[in-house]
Amino acid sequence: MLSSHFQNGIETAKHVWSPIPGSEESSPCLDDTLGLLNKNDGSGVESLDYEVIENYAYREEQARRGKLYVGYLLVVKWFFALLIGIGTGLAAVFINISVENFAGWKFSLTFDIIQKSYVAGFFVYVLFNLVLVYSSVSIITQFAPAAAGSGIPEIKGYLNGVDVHGILLFRTLIGKIFGSIGSVGSGLALGKEGPLVHTGACIASLLGQGGSTKYHLSSRWLQVFKSDRDRRDLVTCGCAAGVAAAFRAPVGGVLFALEEVTSWWRSQLMWRVFFTSAVVAVVVRTAMGWCKSGKCGHFGSGGFIIWDISGAQEDYSFVELLPMAIIGVIGGLLGALFNQLTLYVSSWRQSHLHKKGNRVKIVEACLVSVITSAISFCLPLLRKCSPCPESDPDSGIECPRRPGMYGNYVNFFCSKDREYNDLATIFFNTQDDAIRNLFSAKTINEYSAQSLLTFLVMFYALAVMTFGTAVPAGQFVPGIMIGSTYGRLVGMFVVKFYRRLNIEEGTYALLGAASFLGGSMRMTVSLCVIMVEITNNLKLLPLLMLVLLISKAVGDAFNEGLYEVQARLRGIPLLESRPKYEMRNMTAKEACGTERVVSFPRVVKVADVVSILRSNKHNGFPVIDHTRTGEPLVIGLVLRSHLLVILQSKVDFQHSPLPSDPQGGAKPIRHDFGEFAKPVSSKGLSIEDIHLSADDLEMYIDLAPFLNPSPYIVPEDMSVTKVYNLFRQLGLRHLFVVPRPPRVLGLITRKDLLIEDTENLNTVELQSTSVRTRHRNRRLMTNNADAERPLLNGILGPDNISSD
C-alpha cells in the first residue's frame, strides 16, 4: 500500500511538470506544467499564461500608460463586473421562467388527463419529457458539445491554469442555456445550478474578449483585456454570479468562487466578485417581483431556489447532536459512494457508449428520460393514499393541494377527496417543490418511512445513471434531494424516540441535504453559507457547520471530491492546493527528467525556428547567449505563441546572423503587446497556418525584444513540494531549474519591499535598513542611470562578468 502511494506521488509530480526535453547538468532545465495533453475524445487541453511576460512590448506599453489610463482600466473592470452580474441574472431568470412554465404545462396537462385515464396521462407525461430531453441532447451533440455536464470541473481547470478547448465559446453559452431548459424541465435527476456557473463564466469570458467574432457579435470598444490573467479575474466573477443566481445566495457565490473553483485570489478581486454577486441578487429579486403579478405564466415563488424554513425548529437540545452527527456520517458515506459510482459509470460511458457517435448519446439520454418518467409516474401508483391530517390554520398548508399548484399533499391515484399520496408529493413534482415539501415544517406525519426509503433508493440510482449523459446537468439539486430524504428519515426516528414537540423533521432534512453535498463535493464554508441563505434560518448555522465538517472528513477518508474526480476523468490536470506527501523527498532536478532542453540562441535562423516548432508541441523555450568569455548564459524565455506571431508578420526578419544591437539591447519593437495574446478558449495560430518562402527560411530573428528576461528560476536541489507551492500560488506555466548560482548579488527583506511616498511625487524611495541607508544615494543614482540602458545590458554587459 505504501509503495503504491509513493509511486502515485512520483507519477503525479512528473505529470505536473512534464519536461521539455532536458539538458546536461550544466544547462538549465525548463518545466512546462502541461504542454499539450490529449483528452480521451481527441481534443486538446492547454496551459494558460497567467505570468506577465515582461518583454520590450510589455514595457513599452506600460511606459505609455499614464495614471489616467490606469484609472480607465479600473473603471472598465468594474463596468464589466456590472455587465456580468446583469447578464448572468437575466440568463438565470430566463432559464427559471422557461423551466417552470414547461413543468407547469406538463403537470397541468397530465393532471387534466388523469382525471379520465391514468394510462393516457402516463403516455402524455412520458412523451412531454422525452421531447424536452431530445431537444436538449440534440442541441448539445449537434451544436455545443462542450456544454454537456455541469461545466464546473472545466471552469475549475481554467481558473487553475488549464484551457479546455471550447468551454467558453458563444455557442457553448447558447447550448448551456437552452440545453438546461430541456434537461431540467424534463424532470431528470439533475439540476441547473452547475450549468448556471458555467453560463456566468461564458458571459464573463465573452465580455473579456469583446464578444464573438465568429458570429459577428464583437465590439472593438470592449476588447480591452487581452491577457489570460485579466480574463481569469472576469471568469471568477462569472462563477460567483452563477451561484448567486442559482441559489439567490450572493455571499455564498463569493465564497464558492474562493473555496471551490479559483486557485488564485486577492483582495481587489474579492471586491469585484462581491459587487457582481450583489448585482445578480438585485436582478433576480426584481424579476421575481415582476413575475408575482402573474406575467410569467406558471412561474411563481417556486421558480428560484429558496426554501424559507424560518418558522421551523427554534431550538435544539444537546441530546440531538448525536443523531445530527450520524447524519453527517451518513452523508460522508453516501457522498463518497456517489462519487465512486459516478466515476465508474462515466468511465464506462466514455469507453463504450460515447465513442460510437452522437446517435448513441441521443438514444441514451432519451432512454434515461423514459426510465425516469416511468419511475416517477408509476411508483406512486403502487403506494396507498393516506387521509389528510387535521388542518392547521397557521401552517398555510392545504390538504390535498389543488392540481397544478406547488405544495404538499398531492392527490394522486386516490379514491377519496380528502386523501393524498406521500410518494407522489416527492416523485410527481418539480425538484424545487419536492425539496420545499421535504423541508417544510409542521408536517410531522406527512411521509411514511417506507415512502422516503423507496424514494431515496430509486432517486439515488437515477442520479448516478443520469450523471454523465450528454445534457447540461448540475449535481446540487439531486444532492439536496438525496440528503433531505435520509435526513427526514432520521428526523422521524428522533421525533418518535425523544417525543418532543419542538423537533421538526424538516430541520433534519436540511441537515441531511448539507451532509450529502459536503460528503460529495467536499465544500464547507461556502456550502454552509449557501444553505443558510436559501433557508433564511441563521439559528441552524452551528448545526450545519457540525454536519459539514463530519461529512467532509468521512468522505475524504475514501476518495476525492466530485469535481476533482470528474476533472481527472476528463483529463484535466488540476494542481490541488496541497502537494503530495511524497514530493518532499524529490528534487526539482528529478522532476525535470533526463532529456535535453530544446533551446534557442539569441539570434536564430528562421528555418531552425520552423523545424523546432514542427518537431514538438512545447509552449516555452529558453533563450541562451554567451558572455564575453564564452560562458553560456540563460537570458530569458520565449513563448511558442510569440514565435508564431513573429513568423507570420515577417517584419522582424533580418539578413545578419548578428544581434541587432551588439551592446545587448534591442531595436524598437514593431508589435503591440496585444498582438501576442492568444484568442480566448481557442487554438490560436499554429505552425501549419504559416507559409514561408525559401528566402524567408534563410533569414534570421533576434529574439531579444520578444523574450521574457525575468522568468522564475529555482535551484536544482529545491524540493518538489516547494516548487509545487511556488508553481501553483504564482499561477506559472514554465519554471527554470538551474544549477546552484555561484554568487549572491544581494538580499531582499520585507523592508526592501515597503514603498513610501516622499514629498516629491515623482520620486519613489524604498525603505531600507540602517546598514544600507548610507548607500541610498548611490543606489538611486545607479537606478536612474540603468533606466536609460537597454534591458539586456545588465545580463550581457561587462559588469556581469566581473567579480565583486
Side-chain angles (χ1 to χ4, degrees), residues 16-20 29-34 588-589 591-593 597 714 723 727 733-737:
V16 169
W17 291 283
S18 54
I20 289 177
C29 174
L30 180 69
D31 292 330
D32 184 359
T33 15
L34 193 53
K589 183 179 179 181
C592 279
V597 171
V714 297
V723 175
F727 212 102
R733 184 175 188 177
H734 306 95
L735 188 65
F736 282 124
V737 177

Side-chain angles (χ1 to χ4, degrees), residues 21 45 110 123 300 561 596 620 635 701 789 797:
V45 292
T110 304
F123 283 108
R596 290 183 58 86
I635 62 174
I701 304 173
R789 295 167 60 187

Side-chain angles (χ1 to χ4, degrees), residues 339-340 342-343 559-570:
N339 294 355
Q340 204 64 36
T342 52
L343 176 63
N559 51 32
E560 295 179 305
L562 179 65
Y563 299 135
E564 288 76 13
V565 170
Q566 293 303 313
R568 190 182 304 276
L569 179 64
R570 288 167 169 80

Side-chain angles (χ1 to χ4, degrees), residues 610-723:
V610 173
S611 175
I612 290 177
L613 293 182
R614 284 180 175 171
S615 62
N616 62 74
K617 296 294 184 181
H618 307 318
N619 292 282
F621 305 90
V623 179
I624 310 297
D625 208 339
H626 294 81
T627 62
R628 298 182 188 276
T629 60
E631 181 183 357
L633 187 67
V634 180
I635 62 174
L637 168 73
V638 63
L639 298 181
R640 167 185 283 268
S641 58
H642 291 192
L643 292 172
L644 293 173
V645 172
I646 297 169
L647 293 177
Q648 186 184 49
S649 66
K650 304 180 183 180
V651 297
D652 299 287
F653 292 179
Q654 63 184 40
H655 294 280
S656 173
L658 299 176
S660 58
D661 185 352
Q663 298 298 323
K667 57 187 177 182
I669 198 164
R670 299 184 178 94
H671 297 275
D672 183 78
F673 185 70
E675 296 180 35
F676 296 114
K678 181 179 72 70
V680 63
S681 193
S682 67
K683 299 293 185 181
L685 278 176
S686 68
I687 189 63
E688 287 77 16
D689 301 329
I690 298 174
H691 304 285
L692 300 171
S693 64
D695 293 335
D696 293 332
L697 295 176
E698 297 299 320
M699 303 284 279
Y700 294 87
I701 304 173
D702 185 359
L703 297 179
F706 310 102
L707 56 84
N708 179 12
S710 55
Y712 288 94
I713 297 175
V714 297
E716 60 182 346
D717 55 352
M718 178 181 284
S719 71
V720 178
T721 298
K722 293 182 68 175
V723 175

Side-chain angles (χ1 to χ4, degrees), residues 399-693:
C399 181
R401 77 173 196 192
R402 288 173 291 171
M405 298 293 292
Y406 76 93
N408 303 72
Y409 303 112
V410 175
N411 186 300
F412 186 82
F413 202 61
C414 298
S415 57
K416 299 180 180 179
D417 293 337
R418 293 287 300 170
E419 289 184 339
Y420 72 98
N421 191 319
D422 60 344
L423 196 54
T425 302
I426 331 174
F427 254 128
F428 201 66
N429 229 328
T430 63
Q431 291 181 4
D432 288 0
D433 291 345
I435 295 172
R436 185 179 292 104
N437 295 342
L438 290 169
F439 282 0
S440 62
K442 301 180 177 62
T443 55
I444 293 180
N445 299 316
E446 180 177 0
Y447 302 99
S448 65
Q450 181 182 1
S451 296
L452 290 177
L453 190 59
T454 301
F455 177 81
L456 175 62
V457 173
M458 297 307 301
F459 193 83
Y460 193 97
L462 288 175
V464 172
M465 180 177 63
T466 308
F467 188 92
T469 53
V471 294
Q475 284 73 53
F476 273 100
V477 166
I480 294 175
M481 290 278 287
I482 294 170
S484 58
T485 304
Y486 68 73
R488 185 132 189 157
L489 270 171
V490 174
M492 291 174 59
F493 289 111
V494 171
V495 169
K496 292 181 179 179
F497 183 79
Y498 289 111
R499 301 180 182 275
R500 297 193 179 187
L501 298 177
N502 66 327
I503 296 178
E504 289 285 355
E505 296 174 4
T507 301
Y508 285 82
L510 171 65
L511 298 178
S515 69
F516 185 84
L517 292 177
S520 175
M521 300 178 184
R522 311 295 158 78
M523 296 186 297
T524 53
V525 180
S526 59
L527 185 58
C528 184
V529 174
I530 289 173
M531 298 303 290
V532 170
E533 287 188 282
I534 64 179
T535 56
N536 193 24
N537 195 329
L538 192 60
K539 296 180 180 179
L540 300 178
L541 181 60
L543 303 181
L544 289 170
M545 296 171 66
L546 173 67
V547 297
L548 283 172
L549 288 173
I550 294 175
S551 62
K552 184 182 186 304
V554 172
D556 285 338
F558 293 94
N559 51 32
E560 295 179 305
L562 179 65
Y563 299 135
E564 288 76 13
V565 170
Q566 293 303 313
R568 190 182 304 276
L569 179 64
R570 288 167 169 80
I572 303 174
L574 295 178
L575 292 181
E576 298 298 332
S577 57
R578 289 190 304 174
K580 298 293 184 181
Y581 176 82
E582 294 80 5
M583 289 183 180
R584 66 182 62 189
N585 298 319
M586 300 173 59
T587 64
K589 183 179 179 181
E590 293 173 347
C592 279
T594 57
E595 298 179 354
R596 290 183 58 86
V597 171
V598 179
S599 60
F600 287 111
R602 174 180 170 179
V603 181
V604 61
K605 195 174 184 179
V606 173
D608 294 337
V609 176
V610 173
S611 175
I612 290 177
L613 293 182
R614 284 180 175 171
S615 62
N616 62 74
K617 296 294 184 181
H618 307 318
N619 292 282
F621 305 90
V623 179
I624 310 297
D625 208 339
H626 294 81
T627 62
R628 298 182 188 276
T629 60
E631 181 183 357
L633 187 67
V634 180
I635 62 174
L637 168 73
V638 63
L639 298 181
R640 167 185 283 268
S641 58
H642 291 192
L643 292 172
L644 293 173
V645 172
I646 297 169
L647 293 177
Q648 186 184 49
S649 66
K650 304 180 183 180
V651 297
D652 299 287
F653 292 179
Q654 63 184 40
H655 294 280
S656 173
L658 299 176
S660 58
D661 185 352
Q663 298 298 323
K667 57 187 177 182
I669 198 164
R670 299 184 178 94
H671 297 275
D672 183 78
F673 185 70
E675 296 180 35
F676 296 114
K678 181 179 72 70
V680 63
S681 193
S682 67
K683 299 293 185 181
L685 278 176
S686 68
I687 189 63
E688 287 77 16
D689 301 329
I690 298 174
H691 304 285
L692 300 171
S693 64

Side-chain angles (χ1 to χ4, degrees), residues 17-61:
W17 291 283
S18 54
I20 289 177
S23 66
E24 299 173 346
E25 290 186 4
S26 59
S27 301
C29 174
L30 180 69
D31 292 330
D32 184 359
T33 15
L34 193 53
L36 189 68
L37 300 176
N38 291 325
K39 288 179 63 181
N40 296 333
D41 59 0
S43 61
V45 292
E46 187 177 350
S47 297
L48 294 165
D49 291 302
Y50 287 154
E51 182 185 359
V52 176
I53 307 300
E54 295 181 341
N55 56 18
Y56 272 99
Y58 174 79
R59 297 208 172 192
E60 286 184 1
E61 182 182 86

